[in-house]
Amino acid sequence: MADYETDVAFYQRYNYAATANMRKELVNLMNEIIDDLYENHYDELYHENAFRRVKGKQLLLPNEILPKEISDFIVSVGRGYLSNSGLNTMTIDPTKINLEIQHIWVTDSEENDYNPTHSHFGLMSGVFYLKVPPQVSELNEEGSFNFHHAEDGYLDVNPHESIRPKGLDMVIPKVGKLLIYPAWVKHSVSPFFGPGIRRALSFNIVCPEAADENHNVVKDSSLKG
């Protein structure tokens, strides 16, 4: 397996994400696979956005079509993030946890497409970018991926008017960038304007054994039945 440089991004309340860069050859290979699916299997793999209908196209991908290096890379980054995030409270060794990609889907977003604030099911979620229009940049903040940390009902946009911690962290998509984060973290995607496609491959990661875990019920002796 190829070597990758993986950076863990820190947030003052918790380490909310990890990023890594996918090598160019794998990005090109994945684009070829997806282009073929759009052309020859769109009707059978069509996936409607769970939050709104987008102008662009969306497919639910069979896990088996992923090149092994890509699926191994996603799982290894997930395991590394779980080990170093500081969020792990499990009694098992996170470096040996069994992780699987549960769902993986691709979204080709066009002008004005966006995703409102939401979260996912599972242990971790992530996205990596295969195509990004040139107007998606730090200069205009178009097409950004946004983490929302604010408490319900609060969102401070001007730091000079409040001492409350900022409620949003922004990530600008770049071709080959992979981003992984806890599935429960709320996030959104901003629209971009003008021509081009923003192609994002999104996924959820689960621990298959989690479904077999037994939850112990602690009885309160002070309650009378």
Side-chain angles (χ1 to χ4, degrees), residues 77-97:
V77 172
R79 185 174 288 112
Y81 168 67
L82 188 64
S83 300
N84 296 282
S85 66
L87 299 173
N88 174 45
T89 58
M90 297 178 295
T91 57
I92 61 175
D93 183 353
T95 63
K96 299 178 181 179
I97 187 174

Side-chain angles (χ1 to χ4, degrees), residues 142-214:
E142 292 184 18
S144 62
F145 185 103
N146 312 300
F147 289 105
H148 300 271
H149 308 293
E151 299 174 32
D152 292 343
Y154 294 91
L155 184 60
D156 289 337
V157 294
N158 188 343
H160 298 293
E161 293 181 348
S162 174
I163 59 173
R164 178 183 293 274
K166 66 178 181 177
L168 181 136
D169 283 285
M170 182 180 298
V171 179
I172 303 300
K174 294 181 181 180
V175 172
K177 176 189 282 289
L178 180 143
L179 184 66
I180 195 164
Y181 50 91
W184 49 263
V185 171
K186 292 183 178 180
H187 55 280
S188 65
V189 180
S190 300
F192 66 90
F193 307 99
I197 294 292
R198 181 187 56 213
R199 176 172 288 177
L201 198 67
S202 305
F203 54 86
N204 293 329
I205 294 178
V206 298
C207 173
E209 286 77 10
D212 300 326
E213 288 289 326
N214 294 320

Side-chain angles (χ1 to χ4, degrees), residues 32 43 45 71 86 115 128 145 155 164 176 216-217:
E32 291 176 6
D43 290 339
L45 297 176
S71 57
N115 251 349
F128 69 87
F145 185 103
L155 184 60
R164 178 183 293 274
N216 295 324
V217 177

